[in-house]
Structure formats: structure tokens, C-alpha cells
Amino acid sequence: MEEVGRGEDLLNKSMNGYSPSTGDREGGAVNRQIRVFLRTSGDDGMHDGHSASPLLGPYPAYKPSVTLFDLNKHLRRFGLPISRLYCTQLWFVKDCGGYFGAGFTWMFIFVGEMLVLLVLLMKALSLFVVINGILSFGCAFLGFVAHCRAMFTDPGAVPRGDATNENIARMAVTDGQVIYKCQKCDCIKPERAHHCSTCRRCIRKMDHHCPWINNCVGENNQKYFVLFTMYICFISWHALFLAIYHLISCALTNFDGCSYSPGPSIVVTVCLTVEGLMFGIFTAIMCGSQLSAICSDETGIEHLKRETGKWEKRSCWTNMRLVFGNKFTFRWFSPFHATEDLCASNQSVYSYL
């Protein structure tokens, strides 16, 4: 029996011999009724062609926007198998806007480091030049790796098409419990999951879809996104400091100790100052907002929609450990180390919380 009201569908389903009409189960046990709540509003996205909403009509045919690439399968051809402790399944979102955003980000990193190199070469080789060069290029490399990890990591997608009676039967549900089903990707929707219209998947603890990484920021890649914004913020302000410092030092000596004449020196310094100031402010705001969201255990979407859930509220330190790791070590700042085995977590059966 299907009831429709206020843009939402309530569908009563029977499973494992349960019959809502009789109120009895095969074998004489009491009937347990499972109500599946079908969302028809609230999230953006496409829907499978085989399903339809009684209010909105049939949805367009589903077109996948994500490609999964098993890197380990190709590495075996060269005799380089990767341990199962490392996730080698790459998640790639097919979106033209994301291509532009990610490409622009890479260009910013490489052009910025080239300008830093030109500024450092204005002065003679010294300990100051070596230390700042290592610091700038090291953080740029870590920021680039963090960006790649954030872009190619599954942010926490819920498997499509798992809203079946068999999966519902394996869940620990109570009598009359309402189970949410996403009508756009035909999946059982866990608590705090939202549907992304670009990825066309439900993402656990989705904060937002970021075009600069061509991916959603979710449960599995939030650490990499925070590290990416943190390292880019650092190299931006560091580049701004180097540009101003070298311009002043060269001006005080009438550019006698500098490798460039006043014209090129000023052009390089102005370009680096504008780039460093613009991206330094932007990434500082993004990094600060992400750290605030982690401490408060509230995603960006939950904050905008003012959603209040029944999940357990934890301290800021506990939430930080859940994202970056149990112990405070250098791994917190390493984009090469994941908080947990993402491959195993992505292959597990998602339960409704």
C-alpha cells in the first residue's frame, strides 16, 4: 500500500514472510512492518529510469558520472603489486567544471612556485635562500599530493541500488522504524548522507561539492581537503612574505645585489603578491571553516539546512582524532597516510544509522 502526501512517499514493504495486510508472519509470529521513506524533495540529482515518483513522474535515465580505476591491477603488469593496506582504487568524477577547477589549481601551484624560484634567485645563494626554498617547495609538494588524494579518493559514496528487501532484512531495525531511501540513486540512505547532483551519488557526511578538487568533501577525504587548504594557505602567505622581503632588500641596495633589474623584479613581485594574497585569504577561510565543522561535528550542508540529528555529540579533540587519526603524530599532516583502510570501508555493507 502506498501513501502520498506533501511531496513525500511512504511505502510499506513486507519481508521475510511479513504481511502488512494480515498482521501475521509465516509460522505464527507477530508481524513486523518496515516503512521505507522515499525522499522526493530536498536533495538535487538524477534518478534511475526504472523508478518514478507519483508526484513528479518518471525520472530521466541514470547516467553515471563517476569512473573507478583500479590502479593495482595495472601495476601488477610491471611486477609492482601494492599492499592491501593502501587503497589503489581511484575515484574520478566526470565533470567539465571540475576539470577546469582542478587544472586551474595545479596551474596555480606550479606557476606560484616558479615565481618563488625567480624571487629567490634575485639574491645570491645563502642559507636563507636554501631554507626558504626547501620550505616552499616541500609544502607545495605536500599540497599537490593532498589535492590529488582529495580528488581521487571516494568521499564516502553509498552503494547504488542497495535498497532491496534482502539488505533491509540484514539491518538491525525495530518495529515500525522508518528507513530513508534515496529515490535518485536507489539506495538506503544512512543518517547524515546527502545526494550530490554532480557525482550523482549519496555521500556520507557530505560537506559540499568542491569544483577545485572535482569531488565532494565527505567522510573519507575530508582530511586530505583540510591538508590541501592548509598547505596552499601556508605557501601563499610564505610567497607573499618572500616577495615583499626581497623587493625591500633589493630596493635598499639600489638592486646592486639582485640578479634582476628594477623592472622585472617589480613585475615578479607584484604577480606573486597578488597571487599569494588572493589565495592565502581564500584557503585560510576554507581551512578554518573545515576545522570549525570538524570540531562542531556539523557539515556545511547540515549547517545551511539547520539539520539536527540524534547522533552522539563528541568533544572537539575526539572529532579531530576521528578525521586525522587516533594518535597525534606526523601522520596527521601527511597526505600519504589515511585515517583508516578506505578500501575496506568502501567495500563494506553500509548500514542505516
Side-chain angles (χ1 to χ4, degrees):
M1 178 179 178
E2 193 173 67
E3 303 173 2
V4 181
R6 296 183 181 179
E8 299 170 346
D9 306 331
L10 291 176
L11 179 62
N12 292 328
K13 293 192 176 213
S14 61
M15 67 177 189
N16 290 346
Y18 288 105
S19 175
S21 60
T22 61
D24 296 325
R25 180 184 177 182
E26 296 176 359
V30 179
N31 168 48
R32 186 175 68 167
Q33 188 181 63
I34 305 300
R35 297 164 55 205
V36 180
F37 180 75
L38 303 179
R39 298 185 62 106
T40 59
S41 62
D43 289 335
D44 297 326
M46 305 291 289
H47 189 270
D48 294 6
H50 61 76
S51 301
S53 167
L55 298 180
L56 304 179
Y59 288 89
Y62 176 80
K63 296 180 180 179
S65 61
V66 175
T67 299
L68 296 178
F69 182 77
D70 189 359
L71 184 61
N72 198 13
K73 181 177 65 175
H74 297 275
L75 292 177
R76 291 193 189 99
R77 300 177 181 177
F78 302 96
L80 299 173
I82 304 298
S83 172
R84 293 183 179 272
L85 295 177
Y86 300 95
C87 182
T88 57
Q89 187 177 64
L90 303 182
W91 165 284
F92 185 74
V93 180
K94 297 180 290 185
D95 177 58
C96 293
Y99 299 158
F100 173 80
F104 181 81
T105 303
W106 288 356
M107 182 185 69
F108 155 74
I109 296 176
F110 293 135
V111 171
E113 288 307 301
M114 182 185 67
L115 293 175
V116 169
L117 179 62
L118 293 177
V119 168
L120 290 176
L121 290 179
M122 288 181 183
K123 304 288 287 184
L125 185 63
S126 63
L127 182 61
F128 177 84
V129 173
V130 173
I131 292 177
N132 282 276
I134 295 176
L135 193 62
S136 178
F137 287 102
C139 290
F141 173 73
L142 292 175
F144 175 75
V145 174
H147 181 273
C148 292
R149 293 297 300 270
M151 181 169 60
F152 295 121
T153 298
D154 181 352
V158 181
R160 292 188 63 256
D162 68 343
T164 62
N165 289 341
E166 292 75 13
N167 288 334
I168 296 176
R170 292 199 298 264
M171 298 165 53
V173 295
T174 59
D175 293 349
Q177 180 177 352
V178 177
I179 301 174
Y180 290 84
K181 172 186 175 183
C182 178
Q183 203 172 8
K184 299 152 191 168
C185 54
D186 196 26
C187 69
I188 300 174
K189 198 169 188 178
E191 189 178 28
R192 308 187 70 180
H194 292 86
H195 189 89
C196 175
S197 59
T198 304
C199 297
R200 298 174 183 174
R201 298 286 294 274
C202 281
I203 307 297
R204 291 176 294 153
K205 291 188 68 175
M206 175 182 170
D207 187 87
H208 67 286
H209 184 92
C210 179
W212 304 112
I213 64 172
N214 189 31
N215 199 2
C216 283
V217 178
E219 187 176 65
N220 290 349
N221 66 344
Q222 189 174 29
K223 170 188 175 180
Y224 305 130
F225 183 75
V226 173
L227 292 180
F228 159 66
T229 56
M230 182 186 70
Y231 285 123
I232 298 302
C233 179
F234 176 81
I235 64 175
S236 297
W237 291 109
H238 182 252
L240 181 63
F241 161 75
L242 289 178
I244 297 176
Y245 172 80
H246 282 284
L247 181 62
I248 294 176
S249 62
C250 289
L252 292 177
T253 60
N254 293 324
F255 293 88
D256 291 337
C258 298
S259 303
Y260 303 107
S261 60
S265 298
I266 294 177
V267 171
V268 172
T269 302
V270 169
C271 292
L272 193 57
T273 300
V274 172
E275 184 180 17
L277 188 62
M278 181 173 60
F279 287 96
I281 295 175
F282 176 73
T283 53
I285 294 175
M286 290 299 299
C287 184
S289 64
Q290 286 297 303
L291 292 176
S292 176
I294 293 174
C295 287
S296 61
D297 195 19
E298 183 183 48
T299 65
I301 293 180
E302 292 168 351
H303 177 73
L304 292 176
K305 292 185 175 183
R306 297 181 180 179
E307 295 181 355
T308 56
K310 300 179 181 179
W311 56 85
E312 179 185 0
K313 294 298 182 180
R314 297 177 289 264
S315 65
C316 176
W317 180 249
T318 301
N319 292 326
M320 293 287 287
R321 290 170 55 191
L322 290 175
V323 174
F324 293 96
N326 290 329
K327 296 182 179 180
F328 181 75
T329 63
F330 74 95
R331 293 171 179 255
W332 276 36
F333 307 96
S334 171
F336 298 98
H337 296 88
T339 305
E340 59 181 352
D341 186 5
L342 298 181
C343 289
S345 65
N346 291 337
Q347 294 172 359
S348 60
V349 178
Y350 292 84
S351 60
Y352 181 81
L353 304 178

